[in-house]
């Protein structure tokens, strides 16, 4: 099975700062890959390189066997890679439905004169567009009013709309940048179900996330970054047992730090958003 | 539905699942938002048609015609500023291009005015590409300054060229004519005499303004309009949605240029004379003010803004030189009490029937959130390579982390 996305030896430098320093990984169809690392490790910078917003200093990025280096972000999206943003970037003065419709821009057969003259092509395109957008909103479990402006929605719902918007571009690969940030426990559970549902559509998923519980549960493979360098790549179990990863998160400690109980400590340290009812505290006891 | 979808969508490897239930048709009728706007538009159109029968004095018709020209200009700038969010301080340049192209073609080359319409449109498309091409790579403040510069360049060029008549401009621009017959001859119909100005008002000004208003409204609601608004709200997110932001901005610029050019042609015909002084920076600012005052991105708001800017100096004429002061104070008051404009794009009219979201049927949520953990482990896990599944490998650990 050839990889959907192949990143090889990716470097990104801002002046003297090495934001990404030799990152390589593959993503396959229908796979969930998590990218984790402490704050400032270069996760989002790597995402921005892959989705075309930053131009990498060196390295190669192939999507479906074709290079996507020096390609416009919009073209990358048209080829089938969608992304969400760390700090919600919905179109604030548009309704929920229009936000999702906008993402179908590149796939809609509607020309300038169709819009101006309201031809049958226009009506057909708009009807299909509204139906698809509604379908995606239902798919992500958005139960609110799709005619509201997005700023009128609670935060969790806005997250859903952003995922629906990314899906409406009809992606083969979806990059999610901290989708669980700011969500409560229940919403995170819903998000995990949703991500699995998207995976079951055959979409590859790359996930940046700080919530270790969510990552360990969801990801099939994990890439760990620290100071722009890739320090580990493996299944969740391998990552949990990796002394280098533990050191990156907790700093070097005495030998005791490397035994299995540290892991639960790591979860508790990194994931400060699990409510007290979660077992973070209970486990370490 | 599937064949319909294929006709409507290009390649789309991933199709949305069908909506959980049919939403039904969007509301229509005079008490729904779109229905009410249509009714309002029809009433305004009827009033425009009836105006010469109410007061056919040359003064009234002349003011009404220039009001329509201003509205046309505002509609064009609304695309650039209101929808695409590009601050353009040299918008009057396109107005000048339209006025000069039609003026030169009809006086120097003796073309009939109707034949100058396609030439004006073409010239404005080119002007939009030439001015927009290099400048639209800039963002916000820089764009404003560069467009300001281009606006002045066009005016100063017109001031210095021979073909544009230099500082004195072009005089004797003819009105519309078809063969031997011209609007100037007037027309007698059903025992009524229609003068040249009324004919121009009826058959050119109203038609162009209506097409301009309806056209921009339609574009704004379609695929292109959504792209404009997306670029306005968040350029990077728009790019991430597969919208080429550069072409989207150029398209908004070209539409704005064409609208301004047509307004310029109307103005050249209406006044029969143009000079570089008609295209001062002041007018760019005035049109921009009308758009901001009315409500950026709102068709009714911008029409109100355009009417205000064109009619207020006339209505305040009795205050003589005080009128610009009163004008300014009125503006400040409006901006304090209605910062989003007189009729904002997001306005919901209180007396209209409210949109009610349809509640999900009781069975729907279960179906939609069907990816319940138990259901998912079954068939889906089998399809994937086993080691990739964390639960398959380390169930105890998994339970511990997740619970």
């Amino acid at each position: 099975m050839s990889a959907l996305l192949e990143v090889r030896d990716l470097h990104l430098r801002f002046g003297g700062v090495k934001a990404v320093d030799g990152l390589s990984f593959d993503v396959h169809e229908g796979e969930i890959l998590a990218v984790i690392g402490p704050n400032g490790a270069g996760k989002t910078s790597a995402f921005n390189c892959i989705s075309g917003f930053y131009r990498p200093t060196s390295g190669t990025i192939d999507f479906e066997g074709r290079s996507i280096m020096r390609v416009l972000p919009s073209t990358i999206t048209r080829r089938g890679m969608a992304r969400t943003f760390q700090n919600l970037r919905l179109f604030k003065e548009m309704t929920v439905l229009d936000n999702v419709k906008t993402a179908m821009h590149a796939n809609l057969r509607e020309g300038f004169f169709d819009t101006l003259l309201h031809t049958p092509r226009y009506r057909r395109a708009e009807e299909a567009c509204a139906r698809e957008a509604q379908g995606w909103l239902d798919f992500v479990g958005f139960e609110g009013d799709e005619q509201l402006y997005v700023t009128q929605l609670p935060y969790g719902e806005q997250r859903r709309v952003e995922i629906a918007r990314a899906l409406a571009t009809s992606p083969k690969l979806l990059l999610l940048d901290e989708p669980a940030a700011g969500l409560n426990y229940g919403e995170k559970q819903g998000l995990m179900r949703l991500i699995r549902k998207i995976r079951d559509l055959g979409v590859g998923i790359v996930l940046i996330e700080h919530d270790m519980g969510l990552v360990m549960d969801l990801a099939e493979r994990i890439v760990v970054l620290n100071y722009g360098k890739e320090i580990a790549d493996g299944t969740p179990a391998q990552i949990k047992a990796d002394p280098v990863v533990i050191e990156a998160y907790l700093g070097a400690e005495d030998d005791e730090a490397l035994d299995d109980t540290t892991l639960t400590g790591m979860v508790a340290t990194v994931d400060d958003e699990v409510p007290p009812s979660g077992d973070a505290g209970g486990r370490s006891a | 539905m599937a064949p319909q979808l294929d006709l409507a969508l290009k390649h789309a490897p991933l199709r949305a699942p069908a909506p959980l239930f049919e939403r039904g048709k969007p509301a229509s009728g005079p008490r729904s938002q779109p229905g009410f706007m249509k009714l309002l538009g029809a009433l305004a159109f009827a009033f425009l048609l009836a105006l010469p029968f109410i007061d056919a004095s040359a003064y009234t018709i002349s003011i009404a015609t220039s009001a329509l020209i201003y509205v046309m200009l505002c509609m064009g700038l609304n695309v650039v500023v209101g929808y695409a969010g590009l601050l353009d301080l040299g918008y009057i340049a396109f107005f000048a291009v339209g006025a000069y192209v039609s003026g030169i073609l009809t006086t120097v080359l003796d073309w009939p005015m109707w034949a100058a319409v396609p030439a004006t449109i073409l010239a404005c498309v080119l002007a939009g590409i030439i001015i927009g091409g290099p400048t639209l790579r800039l963002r916000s403040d820089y764009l404003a300054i560069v467009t300001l510069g281009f606006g002045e360049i066009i005016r100063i060029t017109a001031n210095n060229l021979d073909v544009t008549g230099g500082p004195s401009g072009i005089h004797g621009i003819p009105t519309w004519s078809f063969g031997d017959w011209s609007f100037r001859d007037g027309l007698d119909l059903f025992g009524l005499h229609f003068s040249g100005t009324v004919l121009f008002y009826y058959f050119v000004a109203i038609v162009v303004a209506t097409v301009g208003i309806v056209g921009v409204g339609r574009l704004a609601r379609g695929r292109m309009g959504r792209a404009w608004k997306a670029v306005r709200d968040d350029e990077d997110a728009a790019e991430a949605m597969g919208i080429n932001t550069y072409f989207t901005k150029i398209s908004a610029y070209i539409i704005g240029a064409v609208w301004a050019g047509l307004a310029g042609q109307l103005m050249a015909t209406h006044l029969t004379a143009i000079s570089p002084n008609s295209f001062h920076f002041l007018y760019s600012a005035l049109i921009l003010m009308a758009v901001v005052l009315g409500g950026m991105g709102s068709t009714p708001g911008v029409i109100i803004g355009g009417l205000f800017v064109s009619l207020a100096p006339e209505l305040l004429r009795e205050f003589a030189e005080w009128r610009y002061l009163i004008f300014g104070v009125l503006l400040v008051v409006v901006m304090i009490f209605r910062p989003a404009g007189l009729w904002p794009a997001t306005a919901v009219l209180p007396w209209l029937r409210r949109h009610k979201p349809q509640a999900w049927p009781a069975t729907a949520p279960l179906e939609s959130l069907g990816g319940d953990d138990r259901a998912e482990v079954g068939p889906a896990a089998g399809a994937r390579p086993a080691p990739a599944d964390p639960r398959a490998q380390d169930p105890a650990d998994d339970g511990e982390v997740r619970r």
Side-chain angles (χ1 to χ4, degrees), chain A residues 60 93 254-255 284-285:
Chain A
T60 61
E93 286 178 42
D254 48 322
D255 295 354
S284 50

Side-chain angles (χ1 to χ4, degrees), chain A residues 53 72-74 77-78 83 85 89 91-94 98 101-110 112 115-118 124-126 128-129 131-132 134-136 138-139 141-143 145-147 149 165 169-171 185 192-193 196-197 199-201 203 213 216-217 219-220 235-237 240 264 277 279 283, chain B residues 1 4-23 25 215 218-219 221-224 226-227 229-230 232-234 236-244 255 345-346 355 357 360 365 368-369 371-373 376 380 384 387-391 393-394 397-403:
Chain A
F53 284 94
L72 277 178
S74 54
T77 305
R78 279 162 202 236
R83 69 166 293 177
F85 292 88
R89 294 178 76 166
F91 305 125
K92 292 195 176 65
E93 286 178 42
M94 295 169 79
D98 275 353
K101 279 179 173 178
T102 304
M104 298 177 62
H105 182 84
N107 284 334
L108 217 51
R109 290 184 200 274
E110 181 185 326
F112 174 77
T115 320
L116 207 56
L117 303 174
H118 278 195
R124 201 160 53 207
E126 287 295 306
C129 182
R131 195 181 156 83
E132 288 271 303
Q134 190 63 61
W136 283 122
D138 284 354
F139 177 80
F142 176 80
E143 291 185 55
D145 181 357
E146 68 277 357
Q147 300 292 346
Y149 288 92
R165 191 180 68 168
T169 62
S170 191
Y185 185 72
M192 286 192 336
R193 280 200 296 273
R196 290 209 182 92
K197 239 168 74 176
R199 190 262 322 271
D200 292 343
L201 292 175
V203 179
M216 294 295 166
D217 195 11
E220 290 154 10
T235 62
K240 282 179 193 177
T264 52
S277 63
D279 53 350
R283 255 181 292 133
Chain B
M1 199 64 204
Q4 286 280 59
L5 270 180
D6 284 331
L7 288 172
L9 301 175
K10 293 177 194 164
H11 74 92
L14 189 64
R15 289 278 161 78
L20 289 178
F21 59 97
E22 291 299 326
R23 256 57 178 195
K25 292 270 171 217
R218 286 184 170 188
L219 288 176
R221 282 193 303 276
R223 171 174 173 268
M224 199 181 230
R226 284 193 296 267
K229 294 179 208 166
R232 171 194 68 191
D233 284 356
D234 191 326
D236 287 338
E239 189 77 35
M241 292 303 116
I243 295 167
N244 185 321
I255 299 288
T346 55
H355 165 81
W360 282 32
S368 76
L369 303 173
D372 171 276
D373 280 322
E376 209 233 350
R384 272 173 286 127
D389 191 319
R391 281 179 307 266
Q393 203 174 43
D394 199 351
D397 210 10
D398 169 60
E400 183 186 42
V401 175
R402 184 168 41 112
R403 199 201 67 77

Side-chain angles (χ1 to χ4, degrees), chain B residues 114-308:
Chain B
W114 57 264
V117 172
T120 308
I121 292 175
L122 194 67
C124 288
V125 170
L126 285 178
I129 293 171
I130 291 168
I131 298 181
T135 55
L136 290 177
R137 298 197 183 274
L138 303 171
R139 286 193 188 192
S140 61
D141 313 1
Y142 307 103
L143 178 69
I145 292 166
V146 173
T147 51
L148 176 65
F150 267 110
E152 288 298 279
I153 287 172
I154 298 275
R155 184 178 64 85
I156 294 167
T157 307
N159 208 4
N160 288 297
L161 286 183
D162 286 333
V163 70
T164 57
S168 56
I170 299 175
H171 297 274
I173 298 167
T175 184
W176 286 50
S177 59
F178 302 90
D180 292 336
W181 181 78
S182 156
F183 278 178
R184 199 174 298 279
D185 305 338
L187 185 67
D188 288 302
L189 211 61
F190 312 120
L192 290 165
H193 178 74
F194 293 90
S195 69
T197 49
V198 175
L199 284 175
F200 177 70
Y201 168 79
Y202 259 137
F203 290 104
V204 185
I206 289 186
V207 171
V208 171
T210 308
V211 169
I213 292 168
V214 173
V216 166
R218 286 184 170 188
L219 288 176
R221 282 193 303 276
R223 171 174 173 268
M224 199 181 230
R226 284 193 296 267
W228 290 339
K229 294 179 208 166
V231 168
R232 171 194 68 191
D233 284 356
D234 191 326
E235 211 173 315
D236 287 338
E239 189 77 35
M241 292 303 116
I243 295 167
N244 185 321
T245 50
Y246 183 63
F247 283 122
T248 302
K249 287 193 277 185
I250 287 263
S251 73
Y253 220 63
I254 291 173
I255 299 288
V258 169
W259 258 242
L262 289 174
Q265 190 181 16
L266 288 182
M267 191 60 120
T269 322
H270 176 55
L271 297 180
T272 72
I274 48 174
S275 74
N277 272 338
S278 328
F279 309 110
H280 243 283
F281 166 68
L282 179 71
Y283 293 96
S284 286
L286 199 70
I287 301 300
L288 181 63
M289 202 191 70
V291 171
V292 176
L293 178 85
M296 287 194 281
S298 147
T299 302
V302 167
I303 293 172
I304 293 169
L307 291 178
F308 178 77

